[in-house]
Every structure is written in structure tokens, then in C-alpha cells.
Amino acid sequence: MSVCENYQAIEEKVSEACKKAGRDREEVTLIAVSKTKPLSMIEELLPLGVRDFGENKVQELTGKEEILSQKDIPEPEVRWHMIGHLQRNKVKYLVDKVSMIHSVDSLRLAEEISREAGKKGVCVPVLIEVNVAEEESKFGVHMEKTEALIREIAKLPGIQVKGLMTIAPYVENPEENRQVFRNLRNLSVDIKGKSIDNVTMDVLSMGMTGDYQVAIEEGATHVRVGTGIFGERDYSLK
Ligand SMILES: *Cc1c(COP(=O)(O)O)cnc(C)c1O
């Protein structure tokens, strides 16, 4: 199947999941995770109106952004989502290129984003990455520390907390992650209820190729699908 056919198949399943959950299709953004994949594959999707792309490396995101920004692409503009672990020394290359950073998990990183955003005169929407399942191998802040971190970040200029993100464990059966998604949703509702200034909590970025339908049923507003759209990634080429 072509990239477009794959995308359309996923799109149909996203619509189905929305319907099943009694949600409007417009409530969910399908992010095409294009990491390791060539620009030509991204360009295949543009005629379908796809504009949300996810990358996990700063250099790859900014490289693709630079090339695409020079091309004549019909409105709306391409939106780049930084979904991978972000090092502070690379923030400066990213802040004015990215539509949202999904992976903020420390005050020091947020401070750097705030500082670089100030220099460029932009305001950066961010999500707090939460390690819901408390997997040792994963980045992200633990659930019980999330509110305190958000309260600190909320004081910084040039950065706005829009919600939460999680990377659920790899599982065979997506149902096994339902509770992870539910826990993130509950945390989000809880924090939203605190009405913290400069914090909106309207975004829930959760669900990948293996489990995005369950994530949508549990309230995801952004799902991040790579393999399902672009095929398996081959890291041996890098
Ligand atoms: C690679 C990646 C994805 C996409 O994963 P697939 O299983 O290929 O859909 C989603 N989120 C993050 C943070 C990723 O790094």
C-alpha cells in the first residue's frame, strides 16, 4: 500500500473511533510521525491536506522544515510537532520552527524554551510529558509531580502549557494501555480544575500505531502515528 492509502486507512479508523466514543472527528488531530522517513513521503501526503507532522530529532525536524518552507504549499501551513526527548542546547534551533513541543519534562528545559522564545519573540505551546506507567527507561515526569512542575512553568514568559503527553508501554493488546490513557486524562481534568493562569490543559497527546483507537476512546486530542502511515522504520540506514 502507498503512503496515501495507509493514511486513508488510518483516517477511517480514527473516524470510527471518534464515532464509537461519541466525539466529533474535528476533536482529534492525526499527527503523521515522519521520523527517519524521506521528505518525498511527507510530500505525498500534502495533496490529501495533511499538515501535521511529528519528528523526534531537532536536526531532522529543522532540516525538513527548511526545505518545505521554501516550497509553495497551499494553506494551511505545515505544523511540525516535536515529540522526542529534547536537549537544552538544541532548543534554540527549534523554538520558532515548531508548532508544539510535546516532550517537556523538566523546569530547566522549560526555562531554556522560555529564554529562546524571548529572543525570537515567539510564544511556544508545550505539553508536559508524563511517565504514567513509571517505566524506568522512559523520559517524562511522574504523575504526582506533574502539577507542581506545571505551576512553575506557568510563571515563565514565552511558553504556554497546553496539556499533557504520554508514551504508553509497548503492548501486544492495546486494551492493556486503556488504564494508562485514562490515568493521563484524569490527571489532565484534575489540573484543569485548578485553573492555573497561563495553563489551558485542552490537549491530550496519546496513542501511537498500536493503540491510537483506544487512546481516542479515552479522550486523546492528538494521536501520533508513524509505522501505520509510513511503514516500518529502518534504523540501519542511519
Ligand atoms: C516514533 C514515535 C511515535 C510513532 O510510533 P509508531 O508506533 O510508529 O506509530 C509516536 N510518538 C513518539 C513520541 C514517537 O517517538
Side-chain angles (χ1 to χ4, degrees):
M1 289 225 291
S2 71
V3 172
C4 283
E5 286 169 332
N6 288 342
Y7 184 89
Q8 279 159 336
I10 302 273
E11 169 55 39
E12 243 169 67
K13 289 189 192 153
V14 167
S15 291
E16 270 171 31
C18 287
K19 212 168 176 187
K20 186 175 168 193
R23 305 179 63 195
D24 284 340
R25 173 64 190 88
E26 289 71 42
E27 291 175 36
V28 180
T29 302
L30 171 54
I31 300 174
V33 176
S34 46
K35 65 190 188 196
T36 79
K37 299 296 180 181
L39 200 66
S40 59
M41 282 186 158
I42 291 177
E43 291 184 288
E44 282 183 56
L45 290 174
L46 297 175
L48 298 185
V50 180
R51 292 294 182 273
D52 289 278
F53 295 96
E55 293 283 342
N56 69 339
K57 296 226 156 58
V58 171
Q59 205 176 350
E60 191 171 346
L61 187 156
T62 55
K64 287 172 176 170
E65 189 277 338
E66 188 180 357
I67 299 171
L68 275 197
S69 68
Q70 289 162 5
K71 299 200 176 188
D72 202 14
I73 298 167
E75 293 282 302
E77 269 182 36
V78 172
R79 291 175 289 268
W80 294 98
H81 297 262
M82 176 60 185
I83 61 175
H85 181 64
L86 179 55
Q87 288 169 320
R88 277 178 292 135
N89 61 352
K90 296 198 175 148
V91 166
K92 57 178 174 286
Y93 306 113
L94 196 70
V95 284
D96 57 341
K97 305 286 189 277
V98 81
S99 155
M100 191 150 68
I101 299 175
H102 293 229
S103 46
V104 173
D105 64 356
S106 74
L107 184 58
R108 289 174 81 200
L109 175 59
E111 283 169 344
E112 183 64 15
I113 294 169
S114 172
R115 197 158 32 239
E116 293 299 328
K119 286 186 199 165
K120 301 244 164 61
V122 295
C123 184
V124 186
V126 306
L127 305 179
I128 305 306
E129 179 173 350
V130 185
N131 185 353
V132 177
E134 303 198 354
E135 290 179 285
E136 271 181 35
S137 58
K138 293 255 169 81
F139 294 106
V141 64
H142 284 189
M143 302 244 302
E144 66 276 11
K145 293 193 172 149
T146 304
E147 183 185 334
L149 176 61
I150 288 176
R151 286 189 183 279
E152 289 304 311
I153 296 175
K155 297 173 192 162
L156 303 171
I159 180 168
Q160 199 187 20
V161 179
K162 296 279 190 188
L164 307 178
M165 177 271 223
T166 197
I167 303 175
Y170 179 79
V171 290
E172 290 290 336
N173 177 358
E175 286 297 331
E176 292 173 51
N177 277 335
R178 189 177 289 278
Q179 196 59 48
V180 171
F181 298 141
R182 200 167 283 181
N183 289 348
L184 191 72
R185 164 90 197 266
N186 287 341
L187 179 63
S188 155
V189 169
D190 188 36
I191 295 173
K192 192 180 169 91
K194 308 273 166 95
S195 300
I196 303 167
D197 275 352
N198 198 32
V199 174
T200 54
M201 297 307 268
D202 294 324
V203 177
L204 267 183
S205 171
M206 56 189 195
M208 305 174 23
T209 295
D211 53 19
Y212 65 92
Q213 288 153 294
V214 173
I216 290 170
E217 288 168 25
E218 295 302 326
T221 66
H222 289 61
V223 292
R224 311 177 306 264
V225 177
T227 311
I229 296 172
F230 296 103
E232 296 288 336
R233 288 176 290 273
D234 186 355
Y235 289 101
S236 69
L237 296 171
K238 294 247 137 184

